[in-house]
Amino acid sequence: MRIFTYPEAVLRAKAEPVKNIDEETRNLVDNMCETMYSAMGIGLAANQVGELKRIIVYDVNQAEAGPNPEILINPEIVLTDGDVLQEESCLSVIDYSAEVPRKEKIKVRGIDKDGNPVDIEADGLLARCLQHEIDHLNGVLFIDHISTLKRTLYNKKLKKMMKRADSS
Ligand SMILES: [Zn+2]
């Protein structure tokens, strides 16, 4: 699947809750996992492939443990604790990374690919990844959490990159 990139509109839209997990949902989940691995990402939200459904896939341990995709549908952050600042990037934000403030520990509630309710307690990279992907479902990008100055500089850089791509 094609990964949509900033400033494409679908990344700014709010995804809709998934009502039932049917064949179409399962296909989308499989395609999202494939897309995430081929792009060498640790997480992907449905908005990023142009589908406005509240689905995220992630795998933060693939480098050490090999691929083992996790799927979360209709995820919701129900508890947070502490604050942490760390470098982040995104498959939908080309050529950029920045330090982003996040909650240190979170509890996320959702349903798995079989429709069973799950609670996930996360810290470290997993907590960061889940917050990043759930943001996507709400039309929020990591660059929304950085300073206006940094974002303006990135927008300028992006414009230049897009101009160069157009003229080549
Ligand atoms: Zn992202």
Side-chain angles (χ1 to χ4, degrees), residues 5-6 8 11 13 16 20 28 40-42 63 71 78 81-82 96 99-100 104 117 140-141 164:
T5 58
Y6 174 75
E8 286 183 285
L11 297 171
E16 295 289 328
N20 50 341
L28 174 60
M40 311 231 277
I42 60 165
I71 290 114
V78 291
D81 187 25
Y96 192 64
E99 285 196 325
V100 179
E104 194 176 2
V140 174
L141 298 171
R164 230 179 291 140

Side-chain angles (χ1 to χ4, degrees), residues 26-145:
R26 278 190 289 271
N27 283 339
L28 174 60
V29 163
D30 288 347
N31 288 332
M32 283 174 64
C33 290
E34 215 171 278
T35 306
M36 171 179 75
Y37 288 120
S38 64
M40 311 231 277
I42 60 165
L44 192 73
N47 300 45
Q48 293 180 275
V49 292
E51 296 278 343
L52 289 175
K53 292 177 180 166
R54 299 188 83 78
I55 302 174
I56 63 173
V57 301
Y58 56 95
D59 184 354
V60 296
N61 297 317
Q62 54 187 285
E64 305 88 61
N68 180 31
E70 304 278 358
I71 290 114
L72 200 57
I73 298 167
N74 301 340
E76 235 181 294
I77 296 171
V78 291
L79 272 177
T80 66
D81 187 25
D83 296 288
V84 62
L85 189 69
Q86 230 167 15
E87 189 98 348
E88 226 167 278
S89 59
C90 176
L91 295 173
S92 294
V93 179
I94 296 163
D95 247 10
Y96 192 64
S97 63
E99 285 196 325
V100 179
R102 295 286 184 190
K103 294 297 172 193
E104 194 176 2
K105 292 180 188 169
I106 58 169
K107 187 169 166 186
V108 177
R109 190 160 287 167
I111 50 178
D112 67 13
K113 64 180 194 312
D114 303 312
N116 301 312
V118 281
D119 272 349
I120 298 164
E121 283 184 34
D123 57 15
L125 182 59
L126 179 58
R128 177 163 292 273
C129 173
L130 288 170
Q131 289 171 83
H132 179 118
E133 302 312 332
I134 292 169
D135 264 359
H136 273 302
L137 302 180
N138 295 321
V140 174
L141 298 171
F142 83 90
I143 48 173
D144 300 337
H145 297 298

Side-chain angles (χ1 to χ4, degrees), residues 4-19:
F4 287 68
T5 58
Y6 174 75
E8 286 183 285
V10 71
L11 297 171
R12 289 311 193 182
K14 206 173 158 161
E16 295 289 328
V18 175
K19 290 203 183 77

